[in-house]
Amino acid sequence: MGARAPESVGAENEPRTRADWVDRKLREAILSGDLAPGQRLHTGELSKRWSVSQTPLREAMQRLAVDGLVEISPQRGARVAPVSLKDSYDVHELRVVLEPMALRSAMEHGSHEWLAALEDAYEVLTDELRRGAPDRGAIEESHRRYHLTLIEACDSPWLLRILDLLNSHIIRYWTLTAAPRRNTDEVLEEHRRIQTFVTEGKTDVAVAELTAHLQNALHSVAERMGEQPD
């Protein structure tokens, strides 16, 4: 492994500007479901709610529209983007292709600091899963954090940006649709195998285990799509 020490995904960086702060607040409200899919976004109401001017709110909405979390139209204004099983399937399918690529790169370029951060993220995830925390959002966020830390040593900034966006949409889908969780023991075992082979530096096996894990999630979405009436 190389000596490059990537920034930790788990570190909570303070927003640099007021616009960044508003962006984060709006993003969190959408991902958690506090602002529901399809809900109209009124800048006046949100301005009062968060004690900010309407200008950074409009900037944040434009940013999130680029990420597919907000829809803006001249006639209807700004609304929270809807969620659908079809969109979720598309996002999961892309992740199956891209995340194993990022892991392979991360294992080629990662440092000991990266492995230490990954171990910390793994422990948080397994603790959340074993406890069965009542806050579903907390479990999904710890899962997202583990997977982002898993690939953060990847040397392609574009690949990391794309996967960060895909993971945001995935956590939103699982949080908002009340999709049944997969068997906890199976999920724990899948992550244990991924973590073990990454720690041991067995790249091909680790990539194969990650691919299988992601395909299982994709199959879960496909099964739900099959349950929908025509």
Side-chain angles (χ1 to χ4, degrees):
M1 292 184 180
R4 187 171 70 91
E7 261 184 49
S8 173
V9 171
E12 292 297 331
N13 298 318
E14 288 299 318
R16 290 171 296 178
T17 66
R18 193 64 167 169
D20 290 337
W21 183 87
V22 174
D23 181 292
R24 177 182 292 183
K25 290 292 290 185
L26 184 58
R27 188 179 301 268
E28 288 175 351
I30 291 172
L31 293 181
S32 68
D34 184 32
L35 293 172
Q39 182 175 338
R40 180 81 178 271
L41 296 174
H42 298 278
T43 55
E45 292 177 3
L46 294 173
S47 176
K48 292 178 182 177
R49 177 175 175 179
W50 292 330
S51 301
V52 295
S53 70
Q54 295 185 33
T55 299
L57 274 168
R58 292 192 185 97
E59 285 184 37
M61 289 177 190
Q62 291 289 344
R63 290 187 194 180
L64 269 60
V66 173
D67 289 348
L69 295 172
V70 169
E71 292 182 347
I72 300 175
S73 69
Q75 294 78 23
R76 302 178 64 194
R79 294 178 182 273
V80 179
V83 293
S84 73
L85 285 171
K86 174 61 170 64
D87 284 346
S88 177
Y89 185 88
D90 290 346
V91 169
H92 279 81
E93 194 171 35
L94 282 170
R95 188 184 179 202
V96 169
V97 175
L98 297 178
E99 192 166 315
M101 291 171 54
L103 175 59
R104 186 175 294 278
S105 174
M107 292 186 69
E108 291 173 357
H109 297 91
S111 65
H112 293 297
E113 289 81 5
W114 167 64
L115 285 175
L118 183 61
E119 180 63 29
D120 290 343
Y122 174 71
E123 289 180 3
V124 171
L125 173 61
T126 53
D127 285 347
E128 291 279 2
L129 286 170
R130 289 190 179 114
R131 286 193 302 111
D135 181 358
R136 182 176 184 133
I139 293 178
E140 303 305 342
E141 178 60 20
S142 66
H143 190 225
R144 173 177 177 269
R145 283 289 174 187
Y146 175 76
H147 278 270
L148 291 178
T149 307
L150 185 67
I151 61 172
E152 71 176 347
C154 169
D155 69 343
S156 170
W158 275 107
L159 189 52
L160 289 174
R161 287 190 197 108
I162 292 168
L163 283 164
D164 186 24
L165 178 59
L166 293 178
N167 272 286
S168 292
H169 281 274
I170 286 169
I171 192 173
R172 181 172 180 244
Y173 165 75
W174 288 104
T175 302
L176 297 183
T177 61
R181 292 194 191 105
R182 295 175 53 218
N183 180 278
T184 300
D185 290 339
E186 290 179 2
V187 174
L188 280 166
E189 177 58 19
E190 288 170 12
H191 285 95
R192 185 195 67 78
R193 290 200 299 267
I194 294 167
Q195 182 68 17
T196 297
F197 292 125
V198 170
T199 302
E200 292 176 353
K202 297 178 179 177
T203 302
D204 289 341
V205 186
V207 168
E209 291 290 346
L210 174 61
T211 301
H213 169 64
L214 298 176
Q215 285 175 335
N216 285 336
L218 179 64
H219 294 157
S220 294
V221 178
E223 287 174 2
R224 294 204 76 206
M225 290 176 68
E227 294 169 1
Q228 284 189 318
D230 294 331

